[in-house]
């Protein structure tokens, strides 16, 4: 989830000012590292790296941000090409059926192009 796209969509839905700045501070300038613990109780840590996309896992706001982020996806795909997006929790699939391979390939390319422009 690109942070700038998320913030722009939040603004589109009317979340501006202090609320938007609070959310921006929540997703921007975050760092994470990985901890590995072996069976001998030794801990190993990766280097701290800046989180460039996504939201903190297990957060209360994560699912809401995801829904707002992909809210326009079904209309984008359905309206344009008759393909059917299926969204459940944080999983998204696009179902495309065509009677032949050439039609399927053409439809897949149209959907991928449309999604590329969407991001």
């Amino acid at each position: 989830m690109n942070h700038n796209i998320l913030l722009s969509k939040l603004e589109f839905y009317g979340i501006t000012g202090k609320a938007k700045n609070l959310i921006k501070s929540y997703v921007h300038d975050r760092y994470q590292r990985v901890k590995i613990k072996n069976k001998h109780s030794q801990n190993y840590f990766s280097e701290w790296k800046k989180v460039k996309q996504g939201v903190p896992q297990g957060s209360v706001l994560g699912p809401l941000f995801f829904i707002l982020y992909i809210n326009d996806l079904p209309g984008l795909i359905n309206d344009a090409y008759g393909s059917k997006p299926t969204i459940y929790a944080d999983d998204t699939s696009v179902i495309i059926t065509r009677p032949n391979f050439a039609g399927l390939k053409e439809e897949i390319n149209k959907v991928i192009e449309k999604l590329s422009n969407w991001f």
Side-chain angles (χ1 to χ4, degrees):
M1 182 178 312
N2 180 292
H3 296 156
N4 293 326
I5 293 173
L6 172 65
L7 292 169
S8 123
K9 288 187 178 207
L10 291 173
E11 191 169 319
F12 173 79
Y13 289 115
I15 299 171
T16 59
K18 290 181 181 180
K20 181 182 173 190
N21 289 336
L22 179 65
I23 293 168
K24 182 178 181 179
S25 72
Y26 181 67
V27 297
H28 276 285
D29 296 323
R30 298 182 71 91
Y31 290 81
Q32 71 180 18
R33 67 179 179 173
V34 176
K35 175 184 175 181
I36 300 172
K37 183 177 179 178
N38 70 15
K39 60 185 173 183
H40 304 293
S41 298
Q42 290 179 303
N43 294 327
Y44 299 94
F45 296 93
S46 69
E47 293 181 30
W48 286 99
K49 296 285 185 176
K50 188 172 185 175
V51 177
K52 297 178 182 178
Q53 295 187 22
V55 294
Q57 296 298 305
S59 68
V60 174
L61 293 175
L64 174 64
F65 290 158
F66 177 75
I67 289 168
L68 293 173
Y69 193 82
I70 65 160
N71 192 42
D72 50 352
L73 177 67
L76 177 79
I77 295 174
N78 278 337
D79 292 345
Y81 308 112
S83 301
K84 180 178 170 46
T86 303
I87 301 171
Y88 179 76
D90 64 348
D91 188 30
T92 304
S93 299
V94 179
I95 299 169
I96 302 171
T97 57
R98 292 293 179 267
N100 58 51
F101 180 74
L104 179 65
K105 183 177 174 183
E106 181 181 338
E107 186 70 16
I108 290 170
N109 286 329
K110 285 180 184 179
V111 169
I112 289 173
E113 183 179 341
K114 190 71 171 176
L115 290 174
S116 298
N117 294 330
W118 180 63
F119 289 108

